[in-house]
Amino acid sequence: MPDSMTGKTVAITGASRGIGAAAARSFAEAGANVVLMARDREAITALAGEIGPTALAVPCDVTRYWEVEAAVAAAADTFGGLDVLVSNAGVIEPISHIASADPVAWDHLIDINLKGVFHCARAAVPLMLARGGGTIINISSGAAVNALEGWSAYCTSKAGVKMFTACLHKELGDKGIRALGLSPGTVATDMQREIKASGVNPVSQLDWSDHIPPEWPARALVWMCGPEADPWLGDDISLRDPDVRKAVGVGP
Ligand code: NAP
């Protein structure tokens, strides 16, 4: 997909590692300006340096609306607007049983995985509408529709994200905002390392070779910015679907 994103500006949360960092590289390769948002200043600055002048690193905690608003404004100031938002920042911890879960930790996961997604869309939508539209992709999960032991916070947050994607489409689909979710399957990132270390539920028992590389969802995200993904507007696209993999050009 070389040059398919030329002239577009893409903001990616959780760009310091894993799927978000791979997405930043893929969008940059496709010609986009990329805005890297995460808490790890050093990591996003290093990645922006690697990509070059079409990348901007903006340290940002998605739980703080004012930081998200400032980051999105910096994107518009630097590159003239915002065309695509990838809400990818997310955490898996606390992995714990409901009867013994720490309420503060449970609450914090919801702040990042669910409220963070709202914060980003809330800040991005006015800028996108000012340019006549844009694409918002929220990273979902199979956990949005499957209950898993020890993952009550994570599953609940991702179910909320899936509904939020549907709500975005309902309110803004006819105003030029393309809202979609990506359920990537299991991906070889630090998150899967944390899952394996927990030893809880069948996902932790998967072999490392069962996980797909982060470059696959990264390529899917670029593909989702094109009209081929329009049949999924308002819903999640699953990268486990062989037809989707074929369309994206990844995997068997
Ligand atoms: P990862 O390697 O652990 O990366 C998570 C990213 O989220 C990091 O860049 C982290 O950056 C960022 N983040 C966490 N809290 C944040 C906050 N408060 N504000 C801003 N950024 C924050 O995990 P990953 O596997 O790439 O996960 C990316 C997304 O894919 C998540 O939404 C996850 O739920 C989803 N997903 C992953 C899998 C999988 O198998 N890996 C499967 C399904 C869905 P900082 O720490 O620098 O802030």
Side-chain angles (χ1 to χ4, degrees):
M1 289 163 276
D3 300 331
S4 65
M5 298 296 298
T6 298
K8 303 286 184 195
T9 298
V10 183
I12 303 159
T13 69
S16 57
R17 58 178 187 270
I19 295 169
R25 290 190 178 97
S26 283
F27 276 109
E29 278 164 21
N33 303 312
V34 289
V35 182
L36 316 179
M37 296 160 65
R39 296 166 302 178
D40 186 339
R41 175 188 297 266
E42 212 175 306
I44 54 174
T45 304
L47 181 54
E50 174 196 315
I51 292 172
T54 56
L56 175 72
V58 191
C60 166
D61 182 332
V62 295
T63 68
R64 299 177 182 145
Y65 180 67
W66 62 95
E67 290 191 11
V68 172
E69 197 177 33
V72 166
D77 284 349
T78 304
F79 297 121
L82 183 66
D83 302 289
V84 178
L85 165 68
V86 179
S87 265
N88 161 78
V91 295
I92 188 73
E93 293 284 0
I95 297 173
S96 55
H97 290 111
I98 295 166
S100 54
D102 174 359
V104 174
W106 208 99
D107 205 29
H108 192 53
L109 183 149
I110 298 295
D111 280 348
I112 298 170
N113 289 16
L114 180 55
K115 287 160 72 177
V117 169
F118 161 70
H119 288 161
C120 293
R122 169 66 185 83
V125 162
L127 286 174
M128 289 180 173
L129 290 177
R131 302 244 285 193
T135 296
I136 297 177
I137 306 175
N138 299 320
I139 305 299
S140 185
S141 165
V145 290
N146 292 301
L148 284 147
E149 181 197 348
W151 288 18
S152 64
Y154 186 77
C155 294
T156 303
S157 73
K158 291 298 185 182
V161 168
K162 183 171 158 62
M163 177 51 78
F164 185 66
T165 300
C167 289
L168 275 172
H169 178 63
K170 172 72 75 178
E171 280 189 25
L172 294 156
D174 62 357
K175 297 178 178 66
I177 304 291
R178 300 173 68 255
L180 297 148
L182 175 65
S183 177
T186 65
V187 188
T189 66
D190 286 357
M191 184 175 282
Q192 283 297 339
R193 274 182 250 285
E194 289 178 68
I195 291 167
K196 184 156 265 320
S198 75
V200 177
N201 85 38
V203 184
S204 71
Q205 304 306 314
L206 292 173
D207 192 81
W208 197 255
S209 63
D210 293 329
H211 305 316
I212 62 170
E215 289 73 24
W216 292 15
R219 289 189 61 170
L221 288 164
V222 177
W223 174 80
M224 288 168 75
C225 293
E228 298 83 2
D230 282 356
W232 286 272
L233 289 175
D235 206 351
D236 285 354
I237 289 177
S238 172
L239 199 48
R240 288 185 190 277
D241 180 337
D243 291 336
V244 171
R245 285 188 179 190
K246 197 172 165 200
V248 173
V250 296

